[in-house]
Amino acid sequence: MFIREITEQIELNNLSKFAIKACETKGRKYVEEKCEIRTDFQRDRDRIIHSKAFRRLKHKTQVFLSPEGDHYRTRLTHTLEVSQISRTIARALKLNEDLTEAIALGHDLGHTPFGHCGEVALNKIHSRGFKHNEQSLRVVDVLEKRENGENGLNLTYEVRDGILNHSGDNMPKTLEGQIVKISDRIAYINHDIDDAIRAKVLDYNMLPKDCIKILGRTNRERINTMIVDIIKNSYGKNIIMMSDEVLFATNKLRKFMFENVYLNKEAKREEVKAQNIIYELYDYFINNPDKIPKDMSNKIDCKVDIEEIVKDYIAGMSDRYAVNKFMSIYVPKFWV
């Protein structure tokens, strides 16, 4: 037997009846020869990690724009924290940890530069709107290339479903995808509190006392409370859920963060400038498509219009790349 087949048999013998086993995947859009060593979900995880879009996450904003401090989260470190939380829950519930990890690592690949303010800007200016979860799916389906030169990573149905439905009202069709959806929220609520206190946007004493009493005083305690609560309330069930008490405290803490951090004028004072960069770059490349790099512009054909190409190009930029591109276009260079 191949090592892959042994792993698949271990999954069949040991995972929950509600888990998605790799040998039972609905498969890929384009049929491929199986790997001798890795299951399909392990293969998807590796393709995501080795993608260019994944590497660019290290220079994309989480909450605070292009932070100078070494310890602020970026979109990449957020992704890794989501992956860690998701894997912990999946393992405890005997669900497919490889599938969960692949979804977690790919969930934010389509995020814009400058975090959610960049997403708001692209959604406003692009005629068909913009949602980062839909763009994440487009990244793995179309924009990334495999070594054979073909477009898309050709991921499995289950990973693609989890990536697309990790945010918004839709629910992933797998429990593994549902884990990532709730772990994303656990991660950003707690690490954004940590970063906001570090940035002096928040003071610890501002946090809702009833939430702290239920969830815990420290970042570690709150994350542990949420994870343990999910495991206790989801074990042996075909649903991922929190208890009413912990869910109430989590939602209240999230609402507090929106009111005091995500929409805070001090924390967001530079966002108008960041959005203006998005607007100006979009307008420039719409009117100057010849300035778009060839690896992007060669996709302009009867199926993909210039607006879609410009949207893809800008959404893929890191914060610093977007700023540098703006500077090179609009700020004159001086003779020395």
Side-chain angles (χ1 to χ4, degrees):
M1 295 177 69
F2 291 131
I3 292 176
R4 169 184 53 78
E5 294 174 316
I6 296 173
T7 303
E8 290 173 345
Q9 189 60 50
I10 291 173
E11 289 184 356
L12 288 171
N13 293 339
N14 294 285
L15 292 185
S16 163
K17 64 180 180 180
F18 301 117
I20 301 296
K21 288 77 172 178
C23 64
E24 297 173 349
T25 175
K26 291 184 178 180
R28 309 179 187 278
K29 184 175 182 180
Y30 304 106
V31 177
E32 298 180 10
E33 185 178 348
K34 297 281 187 177
C35 176
E36 294 182 4
I37 299 173
R38 297 167 297 165
T39 69
D40 284 349
F41 298 146
Q42 291 172 340
R43 211 173 183 186
D44 285 358
R45 174 201 59 204
D46 294 351
R47 289 180 180 183
I48 290 168
I49 288 176
H50 289 286
S51 69
K52 291 186 292 185
F54 185 79
R55 295 196 293 275
R56 289 197 299 270
L57 294 177
K58 67 180 178 179
H59 292 306
K60 289 195 175 190
T61 288
Q62 173 58 27
V63 172
F64 297 94
L65 298 177
S66 298
E68 294 297 327
D70 290 338
H71 300 140
Y72 290 98
R73 272 74 172 187
T74 65
R75 189 62 56 177
L76 178 60
T77 58
H78 161 73
T79 295
L80 296 176
E81 291 186 33
V82 174
S83 176
Q84 178 269 318
I85 293 170
S86 298
R87 289 174 56 216
T88 297
I89 297 172
R91 185 180 298 177
L93 295 178
K94 295 185 178 181
L95 297 175
N96 197 309
E97 191 175 343
D98 294 323
L99 171 57
T100 306
E101 184 179 23
I103 296 170
L105 292 175
H107 82 282
D108 268 355
L109 292 180
H111 231 301
T112 59
F114 313 125
H116 285 286
C117 83
E119 181 175 15
V120 169
L122 266 184
N123 183 54
K124 183 177 180 180
I125 198 170
H126 185 55
S127 65
R128 290 182 289 278
F130 181 89
K131 293 181 179 179
H132 78 272
N133 57 312
E134 294 176 356
Q135 187 67 15
S136 292
L137 184 62
R138 180 166 170 77
V139 167
V140 299
D141 277 357
V142 178
L143 301 180
E144 282 290 331
K145 288 188 176 183
R146 284 172 284 162
E147 289 186 354
N148 61 10
E150 294 182 5
N151 290 339
L153 300 181
N154 198 29
L155 304 183
T156 56
Y157 167 85
E158 293 80 7
V159 173
R160 296 175 62 255
D161 169 75
I163 289 173
L164 177 62
N165 295 308
H166 82 270
S167 67
D169 296 330
N170 293 334
M171 187 62 66
K173 293 180 175 61
T174 67
L175 294 188
E176 289 83 358
Q178 292 177 32
I179 286 175
V180 174
K181 191 179 184 78
I182 200 167
S183 296
D184 185 31
R185 181 166 294 192
I186 292 172
Y188 73 67
I189 288 173
N190 287 289
H191 66 48
D192 291 350
I193 289 174
D194 188 40
D195 281 354
I197 291 174
R198 178 176 293 107
K200 296 183 171 52
V201 172
L202 277 185
D203 182 270
Y204 173 80
N205 293 322
M206 294 171 62
L207 298 176
K209 291 181 173 54
D210 56 341
C211 295
I212 298 307
K213 182 178 181 180
I214 294 170
L215 300 175
R217 291 179 53 83
T218 67
N219 191 47
R220 180 187 64 80
E221 289 174 351
R222 290 189 295 272
I223 292 176
N224 185 70
T225 297
M226 293 175 183
I227 290 175
V228 171
D229 186 77
I230 289 170
I231 293 169
K232 286 182 177 179
N233 287 276
S234 306
Y235 197 89
K237 300 177 183 177
N238 192 23
I239 190 172
I240 303 301
M241 61 184 294
M242 288 178 168
S243 66
D244 291 341
E245 181 183 46
V246 172
L247 179 62
F248 170 81
T250 300
N251 287 338
K252 184 173 181 178
L253 195 56
R254 180 175 180 266
K255 182 180 179 182
F256 168 84
M257 289 298 290
F258 268 94
E259 294 172 349
N260 293 274
V261 177
Y262 304 140
L263 303 178
N264 179 283
K265 291 182 179 179
E266 178 64 20
K268 300 301 180 182
R269 64 182 183 273
E270 297 298 303
E271 284 196 351
V272 172
K273 299 176 185 177
Q275 289 183 332
N276 283 336
I277 289 177
I278 299 291
Y279 296 145
E280 294 295 335
L281 289 177
Y282 191 93
D283 182 70
Y284 177 82
F285 288 115
I286 286 290
N287 292 294
N288 298 275
D290 58 305
K291 301 298 183 181
I292 299 173
K294 289 184 178 180
D295 63 334
M296 296 293 299
S297 61
N298 63 11
K299 295 176 182 148
I300 301 176
D301 54 27
C302 59
K303 296 181 181 179
V304 183
D305 59 36
I306 181 62
E307 274 195 285
E308 194 75 359
I309 298 300
V310 172
K311 179 263 294 180
D312 290 340
Y313 182 38
I314 293 176
M317 294 179 178
S318 65
D319 293 16
R320 62 177 62 181
Y321 185 90
V323 170
N324 290 339
K325 184 60 67 174
F326 175 86
M327 295 283 287
S328 68
I329 294 170
Y330 292 106
V331 178
K333 297 179 176 63
F334 299 101
W335 292 99
V336 293

